[in-house]
Amino acid sequence: MSQLDPVVNMASALDVEAIRAQFPILHQEINGKPLVYLDNGATAQKPDVVIDAESNCYRRYYANIHRGVHELSQRSTTAFEAVRGTVKRFLNAPSEDEVVFTRGTTEGINLVANSFLRPRLKAGDEILITGMEHHSNIVPWQLLCDATGAKLVVVPFSDAGELDLDDVASRINERTRLVSVIHVSNALGTINPVGEIVELAHARDVPVLVDGAQSAPHMPVDVQALGCDFFVFSGHKTYGPSGVGVLWGRYDLLAAMPPWHGGGDMIKTVTFERSEFAEPPQRFEAGTPNIAGVIGMGAGIEWLMGLGLDKVAAHEADLLAYAHEQVSVMEGVRIIGNARRKAAALSFVMDEAHPHDIGTILDNDGVAIRSGHHCAQPVMQRYGVPATARASFGVYNTRAEVDQLVASIDKVRRLFA
């Protein structure tokens, strides 16, 4: 039995056509061709259960949460709070009290930067990230360094798109106050060894934040097994609505963190002299949240868990391997990022065609990919390219769609030859 066989066998356990039937947006033509949606790294499409969950909230029981004694408020509060339990199971978190609802991955990182790290940071301290981070895991730390005099330390990566763990270890020292690392690179697809990085950091008592924006939708995530201290992800990439996300954090750390935003629903008492804040997670959720969005996110996560994240990972690994096999041998096409462990994303450039031209021509064939720097400009600079074309896979994609992708890339080659 080859090494690929178990992956293929597990992938075949998914009924992809039945899954596709649950996504109304997929059943349309774009520019006269059947839609092939391969931009899941930017955002995933929504199944009926998510659309219905959000619609039902507005149609049947929407009201503000934690505030009313009337029936609608009670129903909204119950549905909203139930999502914490869903996320707890999704991440295998110890407690739902460790689940903070945010506007997305970006806000989760900013919350940790401003509430956890800022009070602990002084001039000369260091924050360690990697060279393959997207902007959301760069800019918040730069702002913090500018405000405190701390230093941002960046771990480089190889041409293949992999980190050297010895290099990571050598850059963690007595000045390091936090390691923040992307789990799966959105620009390269690299799956980073975050468990090993956590071990290296914890050996020096350095906490670790894991950016799970591109891992949570594509593979099982167990924050206890990873051993990390914070984990962030977005709802819209996990087949839920945009504008919502999650910060998971160890409760002892959350309990020691001051609020970042002040306002309603994050307090115990308020007088003009002082305020007493609520316990986590409400301490970090000031104001009226995206109630229906959180409920929709919960529906998306439940749906994803129902498929089985191990099966999802196997299916997407099969698609990625199938696409890589064909694209890697195409003359004039270069794949950017060839890590040994990758997930769901295939980035490439072509000798004669700019990525925007590639994206436009593929769109004419109904194939939606991402063209640009993927909010990861340092990664583009690392490879000396202004941008790449990226096909990123989701659970509803098929080998036939990969065939359409490859045919359209070949069309670009012939047009620019």
Side-chain angles (χ1 to χ4, degrees), residues 39-95:
D39 195 17
N40 299 282
T43 193
Q45 299 299 345
K46 318 306 173 192
D48 286 325
V49 292
V50 169
I51 298 169
D52 292 346
E54 197 161 7
S55 174
N56 286 338
C57 172
Y58 285 125
R59 290 177 180 277
R60 297 181 179 177
Y61 61 89
Y62 175 77
N64 215 327
I65 58 170
H66 302 151
R67 289 164 170 83
V69 296
H70 57 81
E71 181 64 21
L72 291 187
S73 179
Q74 297 297 315
R75 291 182 186 178
S76 277
T77 300
T78 298
F80 180 90
E81 288 298 329
V83 180
R84 294 192 208 277
T86 297
V87 175
K88 171 184 177 294
R89 288 186 286 109
F90 185 55
L91 300 179
N92 191 32
S95 169

Side-chain angles (χ1 to χ4, degrees), residues 1 5 7-9 31 95 112 215 236 239 259 275 295 366 381 385:
M1 180 179 290
D5 286 337
V7 173
V8 174
N9 290 338
N31 295 319
S95 169
V112 173
S215 62
H236 70 100
Y239 302 94
S275 297
I295 292 168
Q381 293 159 8
V385 297

Side-chain angles (χ1 to χ4, degrees), residues 65-371:
I65 58 170
H66 302 151
R67 289 164 170 83
V69 296
H70 57 81
E71 181 64 21
L72 291 187
S73 179
Q74 297 297 315
R75 291 182 186 178
S76 277
T77 300
T78 298
F80 180 90
E81 288 298 329
V83 180
R84 294 192 208 277
T86 297
V87 175
K88 171 184 177 294
R89 288 186 286 109
F90 185 55
L91 300 179
N92 191 32
S95 169
E96 59 189 56
D97 290 335
E98 299 172 328
V99 175
V100 179
F101 295 130
T102 65
R103 291 186 298 163
T105 296
T106 298
E107 185 172 76
I109 294 172
N110 276 274
L111 198 164
V112 173
N114 286 281
S115 181
F116 173 75
L117 195 55
R118 189 180 186 118
R120 294 167 170 79
L121 209 59
K122 63 181 185 301
D125 288 344
E126 296 180 354
I127 303 165
L128 191 75
I129 63 174
T130 81
M132 69 177 76
E133 305 302 326
H134 63 153
H135 299 164
S136 293
N137 203 23
I138 299 173
V139 179
W141 310 119
Q142 286 177 330
L143 293 172
L144 198 54
C145 288
D146 289 345
T148 62
K151 178 183 177 184
L152 190 64
V153 177
V154 182
V155 181
F157 57 90
S158 70
D159 289 343
E162 295 178 324
L163 297 171
D164 180 340
L165 286 175
D166 290 336
D167 195 7
V168 174
S170 71
R171 294 169 194 268
I172 302 173
N173 57 51
E174 68 279 1
R175 297 182 298 277
T176 310
R177 294 293 173 264
L178 182 82
V179 173
S180 187
V181 59
I182 198 165
H183 198 174
V184 173
S185 164
N186 69 318
L188 306 173
T190 302
I191 303 174
N192 281 315
V194 292
E196 289 90 334
I197 292 172
V198 169
E199 289 183 7
L200 293 172
H202 283 185
R204 286 184 170 269
D205 294 325
V206 176
V208 178
L209 182 151
V210 176
D211 177 345
Q214 298 291 338
S215 62
H218 302 296
M219 62 186 65
V221 172
D222 183 333
V223 294
Q224 296 189 71
L226 291 176
C228 58
D229 303 280
F230 300 101
F231 188 95
V232 292
F233 70 92
S234 296
H236 70 100
K237 291 187 171 73
T238 52
Y239 302 94
S242 56
V244 294
V246 168
L247 161 66
W248 170 82
R250 280 174 37 202
Y251 190 82
D252 60 321
L253 299 181
L254 294 176
M257 290 161 54
W260 179 34
H261 293 151
D265 212 29
M266 48 74 74
I267 51 84
K268 288 181 180 176
T269 61
V270 173
T271 68
F272 284 114
E273 287 71 36
R274 67 183 299 274
S275 297
E276 185 179 1
F277 305 119
E279 302 297 327
Q282 282 80 15
R283 178 183 301 178
F284 305 106
E285 297 175 357
T288 298
N290 184 350
I291 298 167
V294 167
I295 292 168
M297 177 175 68
I301 293 171
E302 290 281 6
W303 178 85
L304 198 51
M305 287 193 293
L307 297 179
L309 268 298
D310 51 352
K311 296 177 182 176
V312 171
H315 173 66
E316 294 175 358
D318 175 64
L319 294 176
L320 180 62
Y322 186 59
H324 188 279
E325 179 184 5
Q326 299 181 71
V327 175
S328 62
V329 298
M330 297 179 77
E331 187 177 350
V333 181
R334 178 164 61 104
I335 293 175
I336 302 295
N338 287 287
R340 286 163 291 185
R341 297 184 68 226
K342 290 183 62 174
L346 183 76
S347 287
F348 60 94
V349 294
M350 301 179 72
D351 290 343
E352 305 298 336
H354 189 279
H356 288 171
D357 295 326
I358 300 170
T360 300
I361 294 170
L362 265 60
D363 182 58
N364 286 334
D365 285 344
V367 180
I369 64 166
R370 174 80 179 269
S371 301

